[in-house]
């Protein structure tokens, strides 16, 4: 009987567990998930206020119509009927005006650019969309490539503000393959799951428990240690786990034949000393999302996703969830996310919800002068590692899923490339790892 542990309970872990259990040799393995939170779902997890029927994500989440791996995952769970798609409106805020900018037609009407620049921008976007694989573009800086092909103004007005808001000081260093991979899977219709992604994670939890998986909540893995066993038994890995349920918190040790870590390098390096985690070039940014519960809409023009291209505004996007999903699922409340990426070391990352709200307020008033009167409540969620930085020739830095420590595997958003980290890619990558483990271990 092989004992397997998975560290972290996000969607990568959920799919890994599901795929490993759907092998031919399920009687030969036991599987345990250690999650430091009280629930599964990770960054796509959410919460539910009193009188809401559906859960809401801590950070805005949607799928694209071409997210086939996620669709297949739901099908294998018999949950595919919960997935649905809806057309949404994307706009851009630029110099105190809001422009719909989400189709060839709307780009052609975007008079802030000359006709030539509009045509160049549209042509480059169309070429990127039909390009089957754009990884070779990783040798170019997106900032240089886009200025040369789409025009300087197109870069300055449309793309530069987004790169700066997403990648802060590293905006000029991001490679062009990343940009291709952002454009390629985009579809006009966006996908969502009935009940919200937390509800989905809760249903998967039940299915995993029915299959015999042990899920340990509020169990934070603190260390991974290699244990050499005698008599040709092969090495094991010892997990040192802090139970956050107990007061005071208790430490516990457990041995496993095989351990899969799903945390990014920032957190992984605290668990074990591995050569590939030393001086590692896999840097990333943190995210903070302020969620507003409102009595009425903030964005009255139907926009779901508003890119904020204003130079001095302190956030990247305003996402009006109720312009995507019906407010009746949330007791008729209007829900708006204000998104931002930044360095963990930035003083703003330490802000409380109240301080961030006060900091955002003058800008939100420009979108809707009545915003303060509409407010029911706000809530702040932070992620220390939310967006990997992908610089020139990033493929040379990609970490292996089989680590240098025997029997220890690793899968995180840093293994996903050139596509941006996302739920669909988390499923693609965890399918690959499950396959590799089955081959290595003969499951
Ligand atoms: C702001 C934002 C917006 C996003 N929007 C989208 C979107 O629209 N569409 C989309 O597809 N994707 C989106 N994503 C990305 C998506 O959330 C992730 O790709 C996906 O959730 C990754 O899942 P994961 O399992 O790899 O990692 P995670 O979800 O990060 O899971 C890791 C888990 O490990 C747990 N953990 C951490 N440390 C320990 C420890 N020491 N011991 C035990 N457990 C631990 C954490 O609590 C967490 O549950 C977004 C992400 C962010 C931050």
């Amino acid at each position: 009987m092989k004992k397997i542990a998975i560290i972290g309970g996000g969607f990568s872990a959920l799919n890994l567990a599901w795929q490993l259990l759907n092998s031919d040799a399920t009687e030969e393995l036991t599987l345990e998930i250690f999650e430091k939170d009280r629930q599964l779902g990770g960054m796509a997890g959410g919460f539910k206020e009193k009188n809401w029927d559906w859960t809401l994500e801590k950070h805005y989440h949607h799928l694209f119509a071409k997210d086939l791996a996620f669709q297949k995952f739901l099908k294998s769970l018999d949950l595919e009927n919960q997935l649905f798609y809806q057309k949404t409106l994307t706009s851009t805020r630029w110099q105190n005006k809001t422009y719909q900018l989400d189709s060839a037609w709307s780009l052609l009407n975007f008079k802030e650019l000359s006709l030539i620049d509009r045509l160049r921008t549209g042509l480059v976007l169309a070429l990127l969309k039909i390009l089957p694989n754009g990884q070779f573009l990783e040798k170019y800086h997106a900032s240089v490539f886009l200025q040369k092909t789409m025009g300087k103004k197109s870069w300055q007005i449309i793309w530069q503000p987004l790169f700066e808001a997403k990648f802060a000081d590293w905006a000029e260093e991001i490679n062009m393959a990343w940009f291709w991979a952002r454009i390629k899977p985009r579809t006009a219709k966006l996908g969502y799951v009935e009940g919200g992604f937390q509800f989905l994670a809760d249903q998967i939890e039940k299915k995993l428990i029915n299959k015999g998986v042990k899920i340990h909540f509020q169990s934070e893995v603190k260390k991974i240690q290699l244990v050499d066993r005698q008599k040709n038994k092969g090495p094991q890995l010892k997990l040192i786990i802090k139970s956050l349920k107990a007061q005071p918190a208790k430490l516990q040790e457990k041995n496993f034949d095989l351990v899969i870590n799903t945390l990014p390098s920032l957190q992984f390096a605290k668990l074990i000393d591995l050569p590939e985690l030393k001086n590692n070039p896999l840097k990333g940014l943190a995210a903070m999302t302020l969620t507003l519960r409102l009595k009425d809409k903030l964005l009255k023009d139907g926009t779901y996703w508003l890119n904020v291209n204003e130079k001095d505004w302190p956030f990247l996007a305003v996402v009006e969830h109720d312009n995507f999903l019906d407010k009746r699922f949330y007791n008729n409340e209007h829900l708006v996310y204000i998104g931002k990426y930044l360095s963990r070391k930035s003083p703003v990352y330490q802000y409380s919800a109240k301080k961030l709200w006060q900091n955002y307020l003058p800008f939100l008033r420009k979108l809707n002068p009545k915003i303060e009167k509409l407010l029911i409540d706000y809530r702040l969620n932070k992620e220390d590692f939310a967006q990997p930085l992908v610089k020139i020739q990033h493929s040379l830095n990609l970490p292996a899923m089989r680590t240098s420590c025997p029997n220890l595997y690793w899968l995180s958003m840093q293994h996903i490339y050139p596509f941006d980290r996302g739920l669909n890619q988390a499923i693609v990558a965890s399918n690959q790892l499950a396959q590799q483990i089955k081959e290595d271990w003969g499951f």
Side-chain angles (χ1 to χ4, degrees):
M1 184 69 86
K2 295 286 177 220
K3 290 167 73 181
I4 305 179
I6 302 181
I7 305 175
F11 274 86
S12 297
L14 298 184
N15 183 47
L16 265 169
W18 186 247
Q19 298 305 330
L20 290 172
L21 286 173
N22 282 327
S23 69
D24 296 335
T26 35
E27 301 88 55
E28 291 170 32
L29 52 94
T30 65
L31 221 156
E32 299 183 39
I33 296 177
F34 295 90
E35 167 54 56
K36 80 169 180 192
D37 211 343
R38 290 165 188 268
Q39 60 188 23
L40 299 176
M43 292 199 300
F47 59 97
K48 193 162 140 184
E49 295 293 342
K50 220 172 115 198
N51 300 328
W52 286 6
D53 295 325
W54 284 19
T55 60
L56 180 78
E57 292 66 55
K58 292 178 282 183
H59 313 277
Y60 39 88
H61 269 75
H62 54 246
L63 297 161
F64 295 122
K66 287 187 198 157
D67 283 349
L68 302 181
F70 201 84
Q71 289 169 15
K72 219 170 144 196
F73 173 49
L74 291 190
K75 196 161 192 288
S76 74
L77 288 155
D78 228 357
L79 295 173
E80 77 271 28
N81 293 339
Q82 301 191 7
L83 182 62
F84 61 92
Y85 292 90
Q86 222 133 270
K87 191 145 181 358
T88 57
L89 204 76
T90 299
S91 303
T92 296
R93 180 84 181 181
W94 166 251
Q95 294 190 336
N96 285 324
K97 277 196 203 153
T98 299
Y99 301 87
Q100 187 186 341
L101 208 45
D102 55 2
S103 62
W105 181 245
S106 55
L107 176 62
L108 210 58
N109 279 309
F110 185 56
K111 305 267 168 50
E112 299 294 310
L113 291 181
S114 69
L115 182 62
I116 293 288
D117 281 352
R118 275 177 266 163
L119 292 173
R120 284 170 75 181
T121 303
L123 182 67
V124 176
L125 289 174
L127 289 173
L128 291 173
K129 195 97 192 140
I130 55 171
L131 185 67
N133 186 347
Q135 188 163 327
F136 69 94
L137 295 170
E138 68 170 3
K139 55 179 179 277
Y140 304 110
H141 286 111
S143 55
V144 177
F145 189 99
L146 293 175
Q147 284 188 68
K148 281 201 173 142
T149 55
M150 294 184 176
K152 231 186 179 106
K153 278 274 169 217
S154 178
W155 165 252
Q156 284 167 353
I157 297 176
I158 303 184
W159 308 113
Q160 188 177 21
L162 298 181
F163 270 78
E164 284 177 353
K166 181 109 176 159
F167 294 110
D169 294 346
W170 296 270
E172 306 265 314
E173 293 176 47
I174 301 307
N175 79 40
M176 188 59 199
W178 179 85
F179 187 82
W180 164 79
R182 287 287 292 189
I183 299 299
K184 182 77 184 164
R186 241 147 238 280
T187 50
K189 282 191 174 173
L190 298 181
Y192 198 74
V193 284
E194 278 174 22
F197 284 94
Q198 185 59 55
F199 179 62
L200 175 65
D202 295 345
Q203 290 173 87
I204 300 173
E205 173 187 330
K206 286 189 194 124
K207 291 191 183 257
L208 290 175
I209 291 172
N210 280 342
K211 286 239 181 197
V213 179
K214 269 198 202 148
I215 303 175
H216 306 274
F217 290 103
Q218 294 181 270
S219 296
E220 183 180 4
V221 175
K222 299 299 275 183
K223 286 278 170 229
I224 307 170
Q225 289 168 358
L226 188 63
V227 184
D228 266 324
R229 294 188 302 170
Q230 288 155 357
K231 295 188 195 148
N232 303 329
K233 274 186 159 172
Q236 277 197 326
L237 292 160
K238 180 192 285 177
L239 296 190
I240 300 179
I241 307 137
K242 186 173 174 184
S243 166
L244 306 169
K245 269 184 230 159
Q247 281 303 336
K250 258 192 352 217
L251 284 183
Q252 190 201 350
E253 292 181 357
K254 262 188 145 178
N255 283 13
F256 292 91
D257 298 298
L258 193 167
V259 171
I260 308 163
N261 166 58
T262 68
L263 317 182
S265 56
L266 176 77
Q267 289 139 7
F268 192 22
K270 291 180 188 153
L271 306 187
I272 187 165
D273 210 6
L274 293 180
E276 58 264 51
L277 296 172
K278 287 207 177 92
N279 306 319
N280 97 75
L282 300 167
K283 306 276 182 260
L285 289 175
M288 59 202 304
T289 305
L290 188 73
T291 307
L292 309 180
R293 295 168 55 201
L294 303 176
K295 292 178 206 145
D296 198 359
K297 283 185 193 301
L298 175 72
L299 304 177
K300 300 265 188 189
D301 64 352
T303 294
Y304 161 61
W305 187 284
L306 180 70
N307 284 317
V308 175
N309 287 26
E310 305 280 15
K311 275 259 176 229
D312 50 349
W313 286 35
F315 42 82
L316 157 83
V318 176
V319 185
E320 179 107 27
H321 188 73
D322 54 288
N323 281 337
F324 179 27
L325 295 156
D326 203 311
K327 64 182 186 332
R328 73 190 152 95
F329 302 128
Y330 312 94
N331 196 26
N332 291 321
E333 289 180 20
H334 297 262
L335 303 169
V336 178
Y337 296 104
I338 319 286
K340 179 181 183 69
Y341 292 90
L342 70 174
S343 161
R344 275 180 309 286
K345 291 176 187 146
S346 159
V348 178
Y349 193 55
Q350 304 311 323
Y351 279 14
S352 64
K354 187 175 175 192
K355 194 159 177 195
L356 201 64
W357 159 253
Q358 284 164 348
N359 180 245
Y360 288 175
L361 199 50
F363 305 93
L364 294 174
R365 274 195 207 114
K366 292 185 191 183
L367 295 174
N368 188 329
K370 292 193 193 139
I371 177 77
E372 280 153 290
K373 290 206 179 100
L374 303 182
L375 185 73
I376 301 168
D377 204 358
Y378 47 69
R379 175 189 178 113
L380 177 60
N381 286 294
K382 300 181 187 180
E383 301 292 340
D384 288 354
F385 195 103
Q387 176 64 55
L389 291 173
V390 286
K391 301 184 188 176
I392 295 293
Q393 307 289 23
H394 185 71
S395 60
L396 302 175
N397 298 329
L398 289 182
M401 290 186 182
R402 218 189 262 125
T403 71
S404 56
C405 172
N407 306 356
L408 177 60
Y409 293 81
W410 179 26
L411 165 66
S412 71
M413 67 180 103
Q414 287 157 303
H415 293 80
I416 293 166
Y417 181 74
F419 288 97
D420 200 20
R421 53 93 179 106
L423 288 168
N424 189 61
Q425 292 303 321
I427 302 301
V428 172
S430 47
N431 282 342
Q432 281 165 6
L433 179 56
Q435 192 54 39
Q436 186 170 92
I437 291 174
K438 284 180 193 177
E439 280 166 24
D440 289 356
W441 291 75
F443 294 146

